[in-house]
Amino acid sequence: MRLTRAESKAANRRALIDAAREVVGREGANAKLEDIAELAGLTTGAVYSLFGGKSGLMVAMIDDYTGPLDLGPVEEIAPGRPLEEVVVSIARQYWRMSADPEAATLLLFEIRVMDLVLNDAELLTKLNTAINASQAQLAAHLAGLEHAGVPVTREQAVRLARALKAMLSGLGQAVVLGVHGSSEEYFADVARALITPGVLGPA
């Protein structure tokens, strides 16, 4: 079945973003536009047509990837569950992601992205925006959940989301690197320990 113009454009865009992720994962800031286009099965002209150039493609790639904390587990939890149960579910999912053999490739990509963005103010701003948006999305899932008999406020959810992402990212990297063999239960216990007045702040 022949693709429409819009479908073809979307497919080419997806192919270039995926190719950019792969090449940047190998080369970091040294990634070449020609290599990305070749891997996608397209020309560099397609990059300029769809993204305006390499910089635009890098921005789109970073926008497409906001970090490894998958919100799927949050969305799958039935409504009405207490805050602690949701936080523990996220921690368990993150441990499974970190222990997966593919996690090393993901971590390498993140390191290469850091190499890329630290040399480009525009990309760094875009990455910060994407990270903040991801944290806000997580906070939106946590806000209103019950803790100690009262709903978590938006401000408390933001503080907890920020701490949770930072903690899980650090623990996950250590697992990937083999620094320690933390268990799923340890991830859950540490995440649960974040639910304190000091982290949440005033109601």
Side-chain angles (χ1 to χ4, degrees):
M1 185 176 180
R2 188 171 182 177
L3 297 178
T4 65
R5 182 178 178 85
E7 289 171 336
S8 179
K9 183 177 179 179
N12 289 344
R13 180 182 175 84
R14 182 73 262 164
L16 285 167
I17 289 175
D18 289 343
R21 283 191 59 171
E22 184 170 336
V23 175
V24 168
R26 294 195 310 261
E27 307 294 337
N30 296 319
K32 292 182 173 58
L33 187 60
E34 293 78 10
D35 294 340
I36 295 171
E38 181 179 356
L39 182 60
L42 298 165
T43 65
T44 55
V47 177
Y48 284 95
S49 175
L50 291 168
F51 301 99
K54 180 181 177 181
S55 180
L57 174 58
M58 295 298 101
V59 167
M61 179 196 72
I62 290 171
D63 195 37
D64 187 67
Y65 180 81
T66 57
L69 188 55
D70 185 3
L71 294 175
V74 185
E75 296 165 352
E76 292 165 7
I77 294 175
R81 297 295 179 90
L83 177 67
E84 181 176 312
E85 187 172 327
V86 174
V87 166
V88 166
S89 176
I90 294 170
R92 291 183 185 281
Q93 175 70 10
Y94 202 96
W95 179 84
R96 289 192 289 270
M97 290 166 58
S98 301
D100 189 289
E102 293 298 317
T105 300
L106 185 61
L107 178 59
L108 179 59
F109 173 72
E110 292 183 346
I111 292 170
R112 299 298 193 198
V113 166
M114 292 302 165
D115 176 39
L116 185 68
V117 303
L118 289 176
N119 293 293
D120 189 313
E122 181 185 3
L123 293 180
L124 180 58
T125 298
K126 187 63 178 179
L127 179 62
N128 287 337
T129 299
I131 290 172
N132 287 331
S134 178
Q135 286 184 173
Q137 189 178 3
L138 176 58
H141 283 285
L142 302 177
L145 298 180
E146 184 178 311
H147 174 61
V150 296
V152 173
T153 67
R154 178 184 174 281
E155 291 74 17
Q156 289 177 321
V158 169
R159 287 170 60 90
L160 180 58
R162 186 179 299 131
L164 188 61
K165 284 181 70 72
M167 183 277 294
L168 290 176
S169 179
L171 284 179
Q173 288 180 16
V175 169
V176 175
L177 295 172
V179 176
H180 54 66
S182 294
S183 66
E184 182 176 341
E185 288 305 316
Y186 181 73
F187 270 56
D189 289 341
V190 174
R192 188 184 293 113
L194 290 175
I195 308 174
T196 64
V199 173
L200 292 175

PDB file of all heavy atoms in Angstrom, residues 4-21:
ATOM      1  N   THR A   4       0.874   7.935   1.936  1.00  0.00           N
ATOM      2  CA  THR A   4       0.538   9.305   1.562  1.00  0.00           C
ATOM      3  C   THR A   4       1.771  10.174   1.786  1.00  0.00           C
ATOM      4  O   THR A   4       2.743   9.743   2.418  1.00  0.00           O
ATOM      5  CB  THR A   4      -0.618   9.841   2.414  1.00  0.00           C
ATOM      6  OG1 THR A   4      -0.172   9.932   3.778  1.00  0.00           O
ATOM      7  CG2 THR A   4      -1.839   8.935   2.326  1.00  0.00           C
ATOM      8  N   ARG A   5       1.724  11.385   1.288  1.00  0.00           N
ATOM      9  CA  ARG A   5       2.854  12.302   1.464  1.00  0.00           C
ATOM     10  C   ARG A   5       3.136  12.541   2.952  1.00  0.00           C
ATOM     11  O   ARG A   5       4.294  12.540   3.381  1.00  0.00           O
ATOM     12  CB  ARG A   5       2.542  13.630   0.764  1.00  0.00           C
ATOM     13  CG  ARG A   5       3.669  14.650   0.832  1.00  0.00           C
ATOM     14  CD  ARG A   5       3.297  15.929   0.082  1.00  0.00           C
ATOM     15  NE  ARG A   5       4.336  16.924   0.183  1.00  0.00           N
ATOM     16  CZ  ARG A   5       5.391  16.994  -0.605  1.00  0.00           C
ATOM     17  NH1 ARG A   5       5.552  16.088  -1.563  1.00  0.00           N
ATOM     18  NH2 ARG A   5       6.296  17.946  -0.462  1.00  0.00           N
ATOM     19  N   ALA A   6       2.076  12.717   3.711  1.00  0.00           N
ATOM     20  CA  ALA A   6       2.234  12.956   5.152  1.00  0.00           C
ATOM     21  C   ALA A   6       2.813  11.734   5.851  1.00  0.00           C
ATOM     22  O   ALA A   6       3.671  11.852   6.732  1.00  0.00           O
ATOM     23  CB  ALA A   6       0.892  13.333   5.769  1.00  0.00           C
ATOM     24  N   GLU A   7       2.355  10.532   5.471  1.00  0.00           N
ATOM     25  CA  GLU A   7       2.860   9.297   6.072  1.00  0.00           C
ATOM     26  C   GLU A   7       4.322   9.078   5.721  1.00  0.00           C
ATOM     27  O   GLU A   7       5.121   8.644   6.562  1.00  0.00           O
ATOM     28  CB  GLU A   7       2.013   8.111   5.608  1.00  0.00           C
ATOM     29  CG  GLU A   7       0.616   8.083   6.188  1.00  0.00           C
ATOM     30  CD  GLU A   7      -0.258   7.020   5.551  1.00  0.00           C
ATOM     31  OE1 GLU A   7       0.032   6.622   4.394  1.00  0.00           O
ATOM     32  OE2 GLU A   7      -1.238   6.593   6.194  1.00  0.00           O
ATOM     33  N   SER A   8       4.681   9.370   4.482  1.00  0.00           N
ATOM     34  CA  SER A   8       6.069   9.224   4.044  1.00  0.00           C
ATOM     35  C   SER A   8       6.972  10.195   4.796  1.00  0.00           C
ATOM     36  O   SER A   8       8.081   9.834   5.232  1.00  0.00           O
ATOM     37  CB  SER A   8       6.162   9.484   2.541  1.00  0.00           C
ATOM     38  OG  SER A   8       7.502   9.376   2.109  1.00  0.00           O
ATOM     39  N   LYS A   9       6.502  11.409   4.981  1.00  0.00           N
ATOM     40  CA  LYS A   9       7.273  12.417   5.712  1.00  0.00           C
ATOM     41  C   LYS A   9       7.485  11.987   7.156  1.00  0.00           C
ATOM     42  O   LYS A   9       8.592  12.100   7.699  1.00  0.00           O
ATOM     43  CB  LYS A   9       6.536  13.759   5.659  1.00  0.00           C
ATOM     44  CG  LYS A   9       7.268  14.899   6.328  1.00  0.00           C
ATOM     45  CD  LYS A   9       6.492  16.202   6.159  1.00  0.00           C
ATOM     46  CE  LYS A   9       7.219  17.356   6.848  1.00  0.00           C
ATOM     47  NZ  LYS A   9       6.486  18.650   6.678  1.00  0.00           N
ATOM     48  N   ALA A  10       6.418  11.462   7.774  1.00  0.00           N
ATOM     49  CA  ALA A  10       6.517  11.009   9.169  1.00  0.00           C
ATOM     50  C   ALA A  10       7.471   9.821   9.287  1.00  0.00           C
ATOM     51  O   ALA A  10       8.255   9.728  10.240  1.00  0.00           O
ATOM     52  CB  ALA A  10       5.133  10.635   9.696  1.00  0.00           C
ATOM     53  N   ALA A  11       7.422   8.906   8.311  1.00  0.00           N
ATOM     54  CA  ALA A  11       8.302   7.734   8.328  1.00  0.00           C
ATOM     55  C   ALA A  11       9.763   8.153   8.172  1.00  0.00           C
ATOM     56  O   ALA A  11      10.656   7.621   8.851  1.00  0.00           O
ATOM     57  CB  ALA A  11       7.903   6.766   7.217  1.00  0.00           C
ATOM     58  N   ASN A  12      10.018   9.089   7.277  1.00  0.00           N
ATOM     59  CA  ASN A  12      11.390   9.576   7.074  1.00  0.00           C
ATOM     60  C   ASN A  12      11.903  10.295   8.317  1.00  0.00           C
ATOM     61  O   ASN A  12      13.074  10.152   8.692  1.00  0.00           O
ATOM     62  CB  ASN A  12      11.447  10.511   5.869  1.00  0.00           C
ATOM     63  CG  ASN A  12      11.269   9.775   4.559  1.00  0.00           C
ATOM     64  OD1 ASN A  12      11.390   8.548   4.506  1.00  0.00           O
ATOM     65  ND2 ASN A  12      10.964  10.508   3.502  1.00  0.00           N
ATOM     66  N   ARG A  13      11.030  11.056   8.932  1.00  0.00           N
ATOM     67  CA  ARG A  13      11.399  11.771  10.155  1.00  0.00           C
ATOM     68  C   ARG A  13      11.775  10.776  11.257  1.00  0.00           C
ATOM     69  O   ARG A  13      12.791  10.941  11.924  1.00  0.00           O
ATOM     70  CB  ARG A  13      10.235  12.652  10.602  1.00  0.00           C
ATOM     71  CG  ARG A  13      10.497  13.456  11.861  1.00  0.00           C
ATOM     72  CD  ARG A  13       9.275  14.280  12.260  1.00  0.00           C
ATOM     73  NE  ARG A  13       9.486  14.954  13.530  1.00  0.00           N
ATOM     74  CZ  ARG A  13      10.099  16.112  13.668  1.00  0.00           C
ATOM     75  NH1 ARG A  13      10.544  16.755  12.605  1.00  0.00           N
ATOM     76  NH2 ARG A  13      10.265  16.640  14.863  1.00  0.00           N
ATOM     77  N   ARG A  14      10.949   9.734  11.401  1.00  0.00           N
ATOM     78  CA  ARG A  14      11.226   8.711  12.413  1.00  0.00           C
ATOM     79  C   ARG A  14      12.541   7.996  12.125  1.00  0.00           C
ATOM     80  O   ARG A  14      13.339   7.738  13.036  1.00  0.00           O
ATOM     81  CB  ARG A  14      10.073   7.718  12.421  1.00  0.00           C
ATOM     82  CG  ARG A  14      10.153   6.586  13.440  1.00  0.00           C
ATOM     83  CD  ARG A  14       9.879   7.091  14.837  1.00  0.00           C
ATOM     84  NE  ARG A  14      11.108   7.349  15.569  1.00  0.00           N
ATOM     85  CZ  ARG A  14      11.169   8.075  16.671  1.00  0.00           C
ATOM     86  NH1 ARG A  14      10.077   8.636  17.167  1.00  0.00           N
ATOM     87  NH2 ARG A  14      12.307   8.262  17.301  1.00  0.00           N
ATOM     88  N   ALA A  15      12.756   7.664  10.856  1.00  0.00           N
ATOM     89  CA  ALA A  15      13.981   6.955  10.471  1.00  0.00           C
ATOM     90  C   ALA A  15      15.218   7.778  10.771  1.00  0.00           C
ATOM     91  O   ALA A  15      16.239   7.248  11.244  1.00  0.00           O
ATOM     92  CB  ALA A  15      13.926   6.598   8.983  1.00  0.00           C
ATOM     93  N   LEU A  16      15.165   9.074  10.515  1.00  0.00           N
ATOM     94  CA  LEU A  16      16.316   9.946  10.764  1.00  0.00           C
ATOM     95  C   LEU A  16      16.577  10.121  12.256  1.00  0.00           C
ATOM     96  O   LEU A  16      17.733  10.132  12.695  1.00  0.00           O
ATOM     97  CB  LEU A  16      16.100  11.307  10.096  1.00  0.00           C
ATOM     98  CG  LEU A  16      16.289  11.313   8.574  1.00  0.00           C
ATOM     99  CD1 LEU A  16      15.739  12.600   7.969  1.00  0.00           C
ATOM    100  CD2 LEU A  16      17.763  11.137   8.216  1.00  0.00           C
ATOM    101  N   ILE A  17      15.531  10.249  13.048  1.00  0.00           N
ATOM    102  CA  ILE A  17      15.713  10.380  14.495  1.00  0.00           C
ATOM    103  C   ILE A  17      16.315   9.100  15.064  1.00  0.00           C
ATOM    104  O   ILE A  17      17.245   9.141  15.884  1.00  0.00           O
ATOM    105  CB  ILE A  17      14.380  10.719  15.183  1.00  0.00           C
ATOM    106  CG1 ILE A  17      13.960  12.155  14.851  1.00  0.00           C
ATOM    107  CG2 ILE A  17      14.497  10.547  16.698  1.00  0.00           C
ATOM    108  CD1 ILE A  17      12.602  12.548  15.382  1.00  0.00           C
ATOM    109  N   ASP A  18      15.808   7.942  14.616  1.00  0.00           N
ATOM    110  CA  ASP A  18      16.344   6.665  15.093  1.00  0.00           C
ATOM    111  C   ASP A  18      17.806   6.501  14.672  1.00  0.00           C
ATOM    112  O   ASP A  18      18.642   6.027  15.454  1.00  0.00           O
ATOM    113  CB  ASP A  18      15.510   5.504  14.558  1.00  0.00           C
ATOM    114  CG  ASP A  18      14.129   5.425  15.200  1.00  0.00           C
ATOM    115  OD1 ASP A  18      13.937   6.055  16.262  1.00  0.00           O
ATOM    116  OD2 ASP A  18      13.251   4.744  14.634  1.00  0.00           O
ATOM    117  N   ALA A  19      18.104   6.895  13.442  1.00  0.00           N
ATOM    118  CA  ALA A  19      19.482   6.794  12.950  1.00  0.00           C
ATOM    119  C   ALA A  19      20.391   7.740  13.724  1.00  0.00           C
ATOM    120  O   ALA A  19      21.537   7.397  14.052  1.00  0.00           O
ATOM    121  CB  ALA A  19      19.535   7.108  11.457  1.00  0.00           C
ATOM    122  N   ALA A  20      19.895   8.924  14.027  1.00  0.00           N
ATOM    123  CA  ALA A  20      20.687   9.889  14.795  1.00  0.00           C
ATOM    124  C   ALA A  20      21.011   9.332  16.171  1.00  0.00           C
ATOM    125  O   ALA A  20      22.137   9.468  16.662  1.00  0.00           O
ATOM    126  CB  ALA A  20      19.919  11.205  14.923  1.00  0.00           C
ATOM    127  N   ARG A  21      20.039   8.696  16.793  1.00  0.00           N
ATOM    128  CA  ARG A  21      20.289   8.098  18.112  1.00  0.00           C
ATOM    129  C   ARG A  21      21.392   7.052  18.041  1.00  0.00           C
ATOM    130  O   ARG A  21      22.264   6.986  18.914  1.00  0.00           O
ATOM    131  CB  ARG A  21      19.008   7.462  18.654  1.00  0.00           C
ATOM    132  CG  ARG A  21      18.016   8.447  19.212  1.00  0.00           C
ATOM    133  CD  ARG A  21      16.907   7.752  19.969  1.00  0.00           C
ATOM    134  NE  ARG A  21      17.430   6.959  21.084  1.00  0.00           N
ATOM    135  CZ  ARG A  21      16.666   6.402  22.010  1.00  0.00           C
ATOM    136  NH1 ARG A  21      15.355   6.534  21.940  1.00  0.00           N
ATOM    137  NH2 ARG A  21      17.181   5.709  22.987  1.00  0.00           N
TER     138      ARG A  21
END
